Amino acid sequence: MEQQTALRGVIAPVLTPFTPDLRPDAARLVKLCRWLIAKDTGLAVFGTTSEANSLSVAEKMTLLDAMIEAGLPPQRMMPGTGCSALTDTVELTRFVVRHGCGGVLMLPPFYYKGVTDDGLYASYSEVIERVGDARLRIYLYHIPQVSQVPLSPALIERLLAAYPGTIAGIKDSSGDWNSVRTLLEQFAPRGFAVYPGSETLLLAAMRGGGAGCISAQANVNPEANVRLYQTWQQPDADAQQAALIVLRTELLKFPMIPALKAVVAHGARDDAWATVRPPLVSLTAGQRAALVSALPAGYAPPAF
Amino acid sequence: MEQQTALRGVIAPVLTPFTPDLRPDAARLVKLCRWLIAKDTGLAVFGTTSEANSLSVAEKMTLLDAMIEAGLPPQRMMPGTGCSALTDTVELTRFVVRHGCGGVLMLPPFYYKGVTDDGLYASYSEVIERVGDARLRIYLYHIPQVSQVPLSPALIERLLAAYPGTIAGIKDSSGDWNSVRTLLEQFAPRGFAVYPGSETLLLAAMRGGGAGCISAQANVNPEANVRLYQTWQQPDADAQQAALIVLRTELLKFPMIPALKAVVAHGARDDAWATVRPPLVSLTAGQRAALVSALPAGYAPPAF
């Protein structure tokens, strides 16, 4: 059974631009989102790559309002709504659902460590009950190297049993193929959408019944990612996958989020894009020059 | 040079009570705070033990308002104000400073991991500049096993150099004596207040020039903690220290925050105190009975 959703495919955890005084820059965000939508890429705004956990709930709501007002399609949006505080997660999730977004990407509460599956179940359950909206579609967000709060298959099983219409899928950003494969085998046959959180696993995930991928690289290379998603059964799929990995390797020579922003700044000829919010730090001019000069032949940075 | 501050001594990271529907319970919080103040214990509300990162900024502001309105002394308060998002930290810190609190306990932004000292310096610096209030006194909060974002002596040195009147001290909750000792040796002689985050290190810290301790146990055993702080040069100090460790050992047979709440519920004969917010889970009735029956002879739970 294949789940019908407007969110299958390649989804970008959209970078958040900032003004020089570190306010979120809605106009630049809308511009990037329009370009991504035109490239057939979904919008996972407010993800890790979006520096979302450096933004207040109110800042995120203001940005989402601007995106909707600009005519961007909410059914192609999967905003991150999982905050550290229960009440923040509820407030933001409710807001996103009322805007008609296709789904939400939900981190577990991420401050306390070593919490139990009972505690995580209670967290998700409490949010679902409080939001109380049949339109809610939750994509769980497993990114243990950052959140330090992993989501186990046993927890997913329990959530699916209790909320089968609401628990729609998972983004697995562990980078561990065995983890993605386990999720695909155990849950994908039931229509549960499994997205690896890295484009390095896009082809393998598609071969295993995955729904696409939600990957930072989609911000700066949407066409190649979407092409692999659409043509993964073609003879050149492995070569396409290899090309995505070459770009990723260059990006990962630097901290990923500042590196992606530097590539956008370069491609869009707009230095404002290089700004990040603390605790992140922008690339130095030297780092940026090194990154730009090492970009693979044939790769074209965003130009919008 | 000894820093003059109303915050020296034993400070409790005050437990946050919840109503059955998981709203913060201001009336019960005020009751506990009054009891703690009567026992000569400072109030580090909104710390880790307070489940503060499970509360929204608005919920914390409402609780602080209630405490001030109830006549509790702001100069004896060190509310936690460090959030994941820069703008949340600024908003809450500004609010706390305007209420005349003696200081703030400030976590670094804790979602992104592997961040640099440059990024952490920018985080604290940005908050200080935005709050822009000469009354601000920041106690840094080093709790690497939970935040996963350690604060290095090099970072502290840099912050002290830039903001000598503002950076007032540190809570070191690493539980590592070598870490506390390093901070004492490097910074305490300059009037920088070093508080271990565990009562197990209270005596050693006092012998090394510490300012007291900020410890979960102070919620349920303030008198004994304060007595050791006040009489650490007396012959029975080691015996006092040993007794604190005996109680801690019993508490740590269970998850600490639910265990402390169970002890308060037991002592105050008020089951409402046992409630925690997800992702934490309350002790079961069996666990609570086991904990209560194992409490050391001579220890009296809170009765207020």
Side-chain angles (χ1 to χ4, degrees):
Chain A
M1 184 187 90
E2 181 165 312
Q3 191 179 62
Q4 294 307 314
T5 160
L7 285 168
R8 295 187 77 84
V10 173
I11 305 178
V14 186
L15 293 164
T16 304
F18 293 102
T19 63
D21 61 348
L22 301 180
R23 281 178 295 114
D25 183 336
R28 280 190 171 82
L29 177 64
V30 164
K31 211 166 161 186
L32 173 58
C33 288
R34 282 201 175 117
W35 182 76
L36 289 167
I37 284 288
K39 304 289 186 192
D40 213 9
T41 304
L43 305 174
V45 288
F46 317 149
T48 298
T49 305
S50 318
E51 300 172 70
N53 292 113
S54 300
L55 304 177
S56 69
V57 169
E59 287 175 323
K60 287 179 252 201
M61 296 196 304
T62 300
L63 288 175
L64 189 67
D65 272 336
M67 290 170 64
I68 302 282
E69 278 164 31
L72 290 160
Q75 69 277 14
R76 293 283 286 152
M77 297 180 194
M78 187 197 288
T81 63
C83 303
S84 175
L86 172 69
T87 33
D88 284 340
T89 302
V90 170
E91 182 182 12
L92 186 56
T93 303
R94 193 178 279 147
F95 184 85
V96 165
V97 170
R98 288 185 183 164
H99 275 70
C101 292
V104 302
L105 184 59
M106 198 181 290
L107 280 168
F110 50 80
Y111 182 70
Y112 295 96
K113 307 304 187 301
V115 295
T116 61
D117 273 6
D118 281 351
L120 293 173
Y121 178 84
S123 296
Y124 281 107
S125 169
E126 195 69 32
V127 172
I128 293 167
E129 302 287 350
R130 287 182 185 217
V131 171
D133 192 314
R135 292 171 297 175
L136 175 60
R137 295 289 175 277
I138 294 177
Y139 296 85
L140 305 167
Y141 191 2
H142 176 64
I143 181 167
Q145 72 277 27
V146 182
S147 69
Q148 302 282 332
V149 181
L151 304 178
S152 71
L155 172 67
I156 299 166
E157 198 69 76
R158 201 168 148 194
L159 285 166
L160 266 176
Y163 303 104
T166 301
I167 302 295
I170 192 164
K171 176 182 183 190
D172 180 346
S173 291
S174 66
D176 173 4
W177 169 245
N178 283 325
S179 171
V180 176
R181 188 173 48 78
T182 299
L183 295 173
L184 286 167
E185 290 174 0
Q186 190 167 343
F187 300 111
R190 287 180 254 172
F192 182 83
V194 176
Y195 302 87
S198 163
E199 69 286 344
T200 59
L201 299 176
L202 172 53
L203 181 54
M206 294 312 297
R207 286 174 176 158
C213 78
I214 304 173
S215 140
Q217 189 187 117
N219 277 285
V220 298
N221 196 26
E223 283 166 310
N225 280 268
V226 169
R227 183 167 165 252
L228 176 53
Y229 168 73
Q230 290 171 339
T231 65
W232 65 272
Q233 288 165 306
Q234 301 298 317
D236 72 339
D238 286 288
Q240 289 187 55
Q241 178 66 81
L244 300 187
I245 293 171
V246 168
L247 176 58
R248 183 180 181 86
T249 304
E250 290 306 326
L251 293 168
L252 279 180
K253 290 177 181 169
F254 302 92
M256 178 62 104
I257 299 169
L260 290 168
K261 286 189 152 181
V263 171
V264 175
H266 169 69
R269 300 184 186 202
D270 180 2
D271 278 350
W273 266 103
T275 305
V276 295
R277 223 179 221 194
L280 302 188
V281 177
S282 298
L283 298 196
T284 63
Q287 288 175 316
R288 186 166 146 185
L291 170 59
V292 165
S293 72
L295 291 172
Y299 164 71
F304 56 80
Chain B
M1 184 189 88
E2 181 166 313
Q3 190 179 61
Q4 294 309 312
T5 160
L7 284 167
R8 294 187 78 83
V10 173
I11 305 177
V14 187
L15 294 164
T16 304
F18 294 102
T19 63
D21 62 346
L22 300 179
R23 281 179 294 114
D25 183 336
R28 280 190 171 81
L29 177 64
V30 165
K31 212 167 162 186
L32 173 59
C33 288
R34 283 202 175 118
W35 183 76
L36 290 167
I37 285 289
K39 306 287 186 193
D40 213 10
T41 304
L43 304 174
V45 288
F46 317 149
T48 299
T49 305
S50 318
E51 300 173 70
N53 292 115
S54 300
L55 304 177
S56 69
V57 169
E59 288 175 322
K60 287 179 252 201
M61 297 198 302
T62 300
L63 287 176
L64 189 67
D65 272 335
M67 290 170 63
I68 303 283
E69 279 165 29
L72 289 160
Q75 70 276 13
R76 292 283 286 152
M77 297 180 195
M78 187 197 287
T81 64
C83 303
S84 175
L86 172 69
T87 33
D88 284 340
T89 302
V90 170
E91 182 182 14
L92 186 56
T93 302
R94 193 177 279 147
F95 185 85
V96 164
V97 170
R98 288 185 183 165
H99 274 70
C101 293
V104 302
L105 183 60
M106 199 181 289
L107 279 167
F110 51 80
Y111 182 71
Y112 295 96
K113 307 304 187 302
V115 295
T116 62
D117 273 5
D118 282 351
L120 292 174
Y121 178 84
S123 296
Y124 282 107
S125 168
E126 195 70 32
V127 173
I128 294 167
E129 303 287 352
R130 288 181 184 217
V131 171
D133 192 313
R135 293 171 296 175
L136 175 60
R137 294 289 175 277
I138 294 177
Y139 296 85
L140 304 168
Y141 191 2
H142 176 64
I143 181 167
Q145 72 277 29
V146 182
S147 68
Q148 303 281 332
V149 181
L151 304 177
S152 71
L155 172 66
I156 298 167
E157 198 69 78
R158 201 168 149 195
L159 285 167
L160 265 175
Y163 304 103
T166 302
I167 303 295
I170 192 165
K171 176 184 184 189
D172 180 345
S173 292
S174 66
D176 173 5
W177 170 244
N178 283 326
S179 171
V180 176
R181 188 173 49 78
T182 299
L183 296 172
L184 286 167
E185 291 173 0
Q186 190 166 344
F187 300 110
R190 287 181 253 170
F192 182 82
V194 176
Y195 301 87
S198 163
E199 69 284 344
T200 59
L201 299 176
L202 173 53
L203 181 55
M206 294 312 298
R207 286 173 174 157
C213 79
I214 304 174
S215 139
Q217 190 188 116
N219 277 284
V220 298
N221 196 26
E223 283 166 311
N225 280 269
V226 169
R227 184 168 164 251
L228 176 54
Y229 168 74
Q230 290 173 338
T231 65
W232 65 272
Q233 289 165 304
Q234 301 297 317
D236 71 338
D238 285 288
Q240 288 187 56
Q241 178 67 82
L244 299 187
I245 293 172
V246 168
L247 176 59
R248 184 180 181 85
T249 303
E250 289 306 325
L251 292 168
L252 278 180
K253 290 178 181 168
F254 303 91
M256 179 63 105
I257 299 169
L260 290 167
K261 286 189 151 179
V263 170
V264 175
H266 169 69
R269 300 185 186 201
D270 180 2
D271 278 351
W273 267 103
T275 305
V276 295
R277 223 178 221 194
L280 303 188
V281 177
S282 298
L283 298 196
T284 63
Q287 288 175 316
R288 185 166 146 187
L291 171 58
V292 166
S293 71
L295 291 172
Y299 164 70
F304 55 80

